[in-house]
Amino acid sequence: MIIKSSELKTVCGPTSKLPQTELPEIAFAGRSNVGKSSLINSLLNRKNLARTSSSPGKTVTINFYEINEEFYLVDLPGYGYAKASLEARAKWGKMIEKYLRTREQLRAVVLLVDIRHAPTKDDVMMFEWIRSSGLEMVIALTKLDKIKRSQKDKQIKLIKGTLGIGGGKDAEKGIKIVPFSSETKAGREQLLDIIEGLIG
């Protein structure tokens, strides 16, 4: 897929109505500080389309980016920021759940996990929720450039083990894993090709 155009179309807060659109949607979810904005900017070849927040956990919006006038990339609020209040966490949870449960145009969720660490409890919870909902899922392992090449396979094995991928029958069915670097663009073409296949 070649990115010809990308534009922020709609920003939804906790009390906003989700926009009525007919284009397919691919949602991006991940904890605060996982590098979601950087990945989106890298994917779309834009420097500051997705804004990185100086205060992690403060952004409680769902952002709809129209790509090539063909589909929406939907940026969900970052979850799991330790210093956020319980009230803020509840807001993120409700917004994310409402979107994932009710969105008919949603084709898949790209779950971002930091390749340097085992998935957090929040990551595991989000993974289980997406899988149980029957949605297509892609796992993007961010910050690939921050580890040595020799560590890559070990970290992928750790992440798969923590999430329980490959443990049970059909557990890996439909789940693609893409190591990604926003700095070097490693994984970019692979992720774009997967998205192109998902939007059909």
Side-chain angles (χ1 to χ4, degrees), residues 8-24:
L8 177 59
K9 281 282 185 181
T10 311
V11 176
C12 292
T15 56
S16 310
K17 263 190 175 179
L18 293 170
Q20 290 186 317
T21 65
E22 292 182 7
L23 295 176

Side-chain angles (χ1 to χ4, degrees), residues 28-37 40 51 53 55-63 74-82 84-85 88-93 95-96 111-112 122-123 126:
F28 282 66
R31 62 181 178 76
S32 298
N33 291 351
V34 76
K36 188 152 51 68
S37 298
I40 290 169
R51 301 227 175 124
S53 172
S55 311
K58 287 277 176 76
T59 310
V60 194
T61 58
I62 298 176
N63 303 324
V74 182
D75 182 10
L76 299 173
Y79 57 79
Y81 184 59
S85 66
R89 288 193 199 192
K91 272 186 191 170
W92 299 328
M95 283 184 78
I96 294 170
L111 178 63
L112 278 63
D122 288 314
D123 291 328
M126 180 59 84

Side-chain angles (χ1 to χ4, degrees), residues 138 176-178 189-199:
V138 181
K176 295 181 174 71
I177 294 176
V178 182
E189 295 303 322
Q190 187 187 354
L191 191 50
L192 285 173
D193 287 346
I194 291 169
I195 290 170
E196 189 169 29
L198 289 166
I199 61 174

Side-chain angles (χ1 to χ4, degrees), residues 5 8 19 61 100 119 153 188-189:
S5 64
L8 177 59
T61 58
L100 293 176
D153 290 343
R188 180 178 181 270
E189 295 303 322

Side-chain angles (χ1 to χ4, degrees), residues 43 45 61 66 73 85 87 90 98 107 125 140 142 153 182 195 197:
L43 203 61
N45 257 339
T61 58
E66 188 179 272
L73 186 160
S85 66
E87 185 186 353
K98 179 187 170 190
R107 296 285 182 271
M125 200 160 63
T142 61
D153 290 343
S182 301
I195 290 170

